[in-house]
Amino acid sequence: MSRTISSRLSSPEARLALIAVLVFVFMAVLSPDRFLSVQNLTSMAFQFPEFAILALAVTVTMLTGGIDLSVVGVSNLSAVVAAMILASIAGETAVGAGAVMWLILSMVVALSIGAVCGLFNGALVAFVGMPPILATLGSGLIFTGIAVALTGGSAVMGFPAAAAWLGNGLVLGVPVPLILFALLAAIVAFIVSRTAFGLKLIMFGANPRAARFAAINVNGLLLRVYMLSGALSAVAGMLVMSRANSAKADYGSSYLLLSILIAVLGGVNPYGGYGKVIGVVLAVLSMQFLSSGLNMLQVSNFARELIWGVLLIFVMLVNSPRAAALLRRERTT
Amino acid sequence: MKNINLARNEVLVALVILAFCAFAALSDPRFLSIPTLTDLLRNGIILGIFSVGAMLVLVSGGIDVSFTAIAAFAMYTTTVFLLEYAPGLPWYVIFAIAMVLGALLGCINGVLIAVFRLPTLIVTLGTLSVFRGFLLTFVGSKMISALPPDMRGFSRMMMVRGTNADGSFYSLPWAFAALVIVVVLTWFILHKTMLGRSIFAIGGSDESARRIGIHVTRVQFFVYVYVGALAGLAGIIHASMSRLANPFDLVGLELSVIAAVVLGGARLAGGYGTLTGTLLGVALIVLVQNSLIVLGIPSTFQSITIGILILVGTGLPAWQAKRAEARAA
């Protein structure tokens, strides 16, 4: 059975793969020696995992037709608490096994805080029946507020040297953040496409009422989804903390828009019911190629924001059935 | 029968405001004074104009987060343009230019949302970064403090002016009248015109609205253009009052605005929202932002307080609706 090119391009993921390759080739042609340098490629691999993991967090909630606007708040809160453990209990001078133990403990604490924050969000959505936008908008403010109250608004610094490994280390020449992202993406992809939980998630997103009538435990489902999102955000927070070698209540505030943008760009339906992790990964890659390519061309950060916005709207237009219908009508008349 | 209905957000918010004021007055008697009132009113102007616009969008069943970027864009571009070509224009022409600019940007949202039917949150998140990115890349990223003379003149026009017993001054600028005009005009559109009824109808159910013959595309388009114009107005007033055109200003305020509007009872699902509720919501947010310290709560707790207010203010009605639904089923 041979498929035509146009039918192959009918899925959003295939179109995205094409976009990612085009952006890569375009940037490689524009500045081949700098864009394709080993240094640039590794620096990209260190940069994108933190917001890519946040995008995964947004993705899982979007699959249920919800959204998580508190991801940045959760990641900062868990990073701040982890940082306080590392800085004040472990101390800057901790080395060897002790430091590693504190690092692991702080990660466990961060993950638990992320999960508890997610549980709180999930409870608001499931039991109180709040719209996810408002629930996570309000809780995000609270999480950020708690982080501000804990630190008094200043950065927490002075970690043992081992903490830097998480964000800056290499394993067999591969950056640790990249490994972490690949692992998490694989896990989320597995959960979404290979487990009963994932199937229920998509079903609920496609039609909440039908899911309820199919005797799916909707409340339990929502709780777990938001917990997953919170835990993923906490991992992103740990990465940011390790890379910045400090934690602060207002780090990464631009990541919220970026992570939603990546999820939507990745073909996840904001109304729920459709989305693939591979799409999100492709979207992350195209964004990163684009932004570091633009960096090499000395485009300002503001222009990057402009280009991201244009890209988001463009992709939405391309994927919109309505736009396609309007275009077709114009062609025939 | 007019019972006090606690399930209504307006009543809830009004009670919280009264309690807040009572506690504030107890801990510091100077809180209940005309300067406090004029301060709160002055601080509520920008937030108020934004909130009226955001409320209208919520009523129509959408959500807009790009209005702050529109405001910054219209404000800054107008200022740059005036300084370059016509610094001597009177303030009402300046305001009109900013509003037209805002309306034009609103058109972009309008086309994407009304014509192409893209989801409103995502579109306006996108246009937020487009407008802001365009402004900072192509128009400029420097603060301008040498504003056209008539903008500075406007900031000196006071409705009320007075001196306290202790010799300090208080005043309420004419800019407050702009908020009043915006509220009256929006009230008129919402409740006295077919257009207003159509906005409510679309918010309730756009399919039903379409079937009873409402031109949904046109009405939605109007909503986003109107909000754009309001944002332009708010932006230029903000610049005039602070006597500074800062392109980094305003963006980031959208969450407070949406908080104020949903506190006032406007529903995210569309079809419901009142001006009274919105203004009460604005009053509460302004109170929390300016006077939390009077209650002895440190200002680091500001965002926690607003977050809790949002959760309680929107959670209570949501929970009641859920219970009612469960009882009906």
Side-chain angles (χ1 to χ4, degrees):
Chain A
M1 206 173 83
S2 72
R3 290 204 295 168
T4 61
I5 294 174
S6 70
S7 81
R8 262 179 219 206
L9 282 181
S10 62
S11 85
E13 286 78 21
R15 277 196 295 254
L16 258 169
L18 188 69
I19 290 179
V21 170
L22 282 180
V23 173
F24 187 85
V25 170
F26 184 66
M27 291 304 169
V29 168
L30 272 184
S31 69
D33 35 320
R34 273 187 298 169
F35 187 77
L36 290 177
S37 68
V38 176
Q39 193 198 358
N40 180 48
L41 293 177
T42 40
S43 98
M44 284 200 287
F46 278 114
Q47 277 166 21
F48 77 82
E50 46 199 49
F51 58 80
I53 293 173
L54 286 181
L56 284 180
V58 174
T59 300
V60 287
T61 57
M62 236 181 220
L63 286 176
T64 65
I67 196 164
D68 191 345
L69 300 180
S70 71
V71 283
V72 174
V74 174
S75 72
N76 281 326
L77 177 61
S78 22
V80 159
V81 176
M84 290 173 104
I85 294 177
L86 285 173
S88 55
I89 305 180
E92 210 168 343
T93 51
V95 281
V100 172
M101 193 198 77
W102 284 115
L103 182 61
I104 292 172
L105 179 77
S106 68
M107 283 179 72
V108 171
V109 171
L111 277 177
S112 336
I113 289 177
V116 170
C117 290
L119 191 65
F120 182 66
N121 284 333
L124 290 175
V125 175
F127 298 121
V128 185
M130 286 176 75
I133 294 186
L134 294 182
T136 54
L137 169 70
S139 70
L141 282 171
I142 293 180
F143 301 146
T144 308
I146 295 175
V148 172
L150 282 176
T151 58
S154 50
V156 184
M157 285 179 286
F159 310 142
W165 175 79
L166 200 60
N168 305 298
L170 290 168
V171 172
L172 302 174
V174 185
V176 177
L178 183 64
I179 298 176
L180 213 53
F181 169 64
L183 205 65
L184 289 173
I187 293 174
V188 174
F190 179 79
I191 292 178
V192 170
S193 57
R194 291 278 179 272
T195 62
F197 173 70
L199 185 64
K200 287 178 193 162
L201 195 89
I202 303 275
M203 274 171 67
F204 177 77
N207 190 338
R209 178 172 295 237
R212 224 172 275 264
F213 288 154
I216 287 175
N217 178 2
V218 172
N219 288 350
L221 181 83
L222 285 171
L223 285 181
R224 278 183 280 167
V225 166
Y226 283 90
M227 273 175 78
L228 178 62
S229 164
L232 287 169
S233 312
V235 177
M238 290 297 289
L239 280 185
V240 174
M241 181 199 85
S242 173
R243 262 166 50 79
N245 205 18
S246 61
K248 196 163 177 252
D250 60 356
Y251 274 164
S253 45
S254 64
Y255 281 176
L256 175 60
L257 170 69
L258 189 58
S259 51
I260 297 175
L261 203 155
I262 289 171
V264 174
L265 205 59
V268 180
N269 183 348
Y271 296 124
Y274 182 82
K276 289 195 173 129
V277 172
I278 181 71
V280 177
V281 173
L282 287 169
V284 166
L285 290 179
S286 11
M287 292 293 273
Q288 184 60 44
F289 294 154
L290 194 63
S291 69
S292 63
L294 292 172
N295 230 0
M296 320 232 123
L297 302 173
Q298 322 238 299
V299 175
S300 77
N301 282 341
F302 310 130
R304 207 184 303 171
E305 203 177 327
L306 168 67
I307 291 169
W308 283 346
V310 170
L311 191 65
L312 174 69
I313 291 171
F314 174 74
V315 170
M316 300 255 298
L317 277 176
V318 170
N319 286 341
S320 134
R322 170 91 179 170
L326 284 181
L327 209 69
R328 226 173 291 130
R329 201 172 58 191
E330 243 158 56
R331 246 185 244 154
T332 49
T333 51
Chain B
M1 234 171 67
K2 277 211 163 181
N3 283 332
I4 292 184
N5 183 359
L6 275 176
R8 280 185 57 138
N9 274 64
E10 286 95 331
V11 181
L12 215 68
V13 173
L15 287 177
V16 173
I17 291 177
L18 282 180
F20 191 104
C21 292
F23 278 115
L26 279 180
S27 62
D28 185 356
R30 279 173 303 170
F31 179 78
L32 290 183
S33 60
I34 297 177
T36 314
L37 182 69
T38 53
D39 272 356
L40 290 177
L41 289 179
R42 188 170 40 224
N43 288 326
I45 297 173
I46 307 299
L47 201 64
I49 298 177
F50 277 144
S51 299
V52 168
M55 192 272 284
L56 204 67
V57 178
L58 282 192
V59 167
S60 79
I63 187 166
D64 187 348
V65 290
S66 71
F67 54 85
T68 50
I70 294 184
F73 190 103
M75 168 262 278
Y76 193 75
T77 311
T78 307
T79 313
V80 169
F81 172 79
L82 286 173
L83 288 174
E84 188 79 10
Y85 298 105
L89 285 180
W91 63 267
Y92 45 86
V93 179
I94 300 179
F95 280 28
I97 295 175
M99 286 177 75
V100 169
L101 254 177
L104 285 176
L105 295 183
C107 280
I108 299 179
N109 280 338
V111 168
L112 291 171
I113 291 165
V115 179
F116 291 111
R117 319 229 137 270
L118 299 179
T120 55
L121 176 68
I122 315 288
V123 164
T124 52
L125 270 173
T127 50
L128 168 76
S129 55
V130 171
F131 297 154
R132 191 175 136 89
F134 191 90
L135 170 69
L136 295 172
T137 315
F138 295 111
V139 185
S141 54
K142 285 194 195 71
M143 287 188 221
I144 301 176
S145 54
L147 295 182
D150 225 52
M151 275 169 81
R152 272 179 288 159
F154 178 80
S155 72
R156 280 192 221 101
M157 291 159 59
M158 297 297 166
M159 280 165 100
V160 188
R161 195 195 285 276
T163 319
N164 286 325
D166 61 358
S168 58
F169 293 103
Y170 65 87
S171 57
L172 184 62
W174 267 104
F176 187 72
L179 174 60
V180 176
I181 294 171
V182 165
V183 169
V184 171
L185 179 66
T186 310
W187 174 84
F188 182 81
I189 292 176
L190 270 180
H191 298 287
K192 295 289 163 196
T193 65
M194 251 325 272
L195 186 62
R197 301 315 306 164
S198 313
I199 295 174
F200 276 109
I202 291 174
S205 160
D206 68 339
E207 190 51 46
S208 318
R210 196 168 289 122
R211 291 196 188 172
I212 57 169
I214 291 172
H215 203 301
V216 175
T217 310
R218 222 176 278 168
V219 174
Q220 270 187 329
F221 191 73
F222 166 80
V223 168
Y224 289 94
V225 173
Y226 184 72
V227 170
L230 288 190
L233 178 68
I236 201 78
I237 289 179
H238 176 79
S240 305
M241 278 174 41
S242 52
R243 300 184 196 183
L244 177 74
N246 178 358
F248 294 95
D249 240 357
L250 296 168
V251 173
L253 212 61
E254 58 275 353
L255 292 188
S256 302
V257 171
I258 291 170
V261 177
V262 295
L263 270 177
R267 298 223 180 96
L268 213 55
Y272 184 83
T274 62
L275 281 162
T276 327
T278 303
L279 293 177
L280 284 169
V282 171
L284 186 54
I285 296 283
V286 172
L287 261 178
V288 169
Q289 281 177 346
N290 290 280
S291 309
L292 209 56
I293 202 86
V294 185
L295 290 187
I297 303 173
S299 55
T300 42
F301 281 78
Q302 189 178 305
S303 73
I304 299 187
T305 314
I306 295 180
I308 291 176
L309 284 175
I310 295 179
L311 291 189
V312 174
T314 58
L316 263 174
W319 189 58
Q320 269 161 343
K322 200 177 158 87
R323 270 203 323 186
E325 199 183 318
R327 234 178 287 134

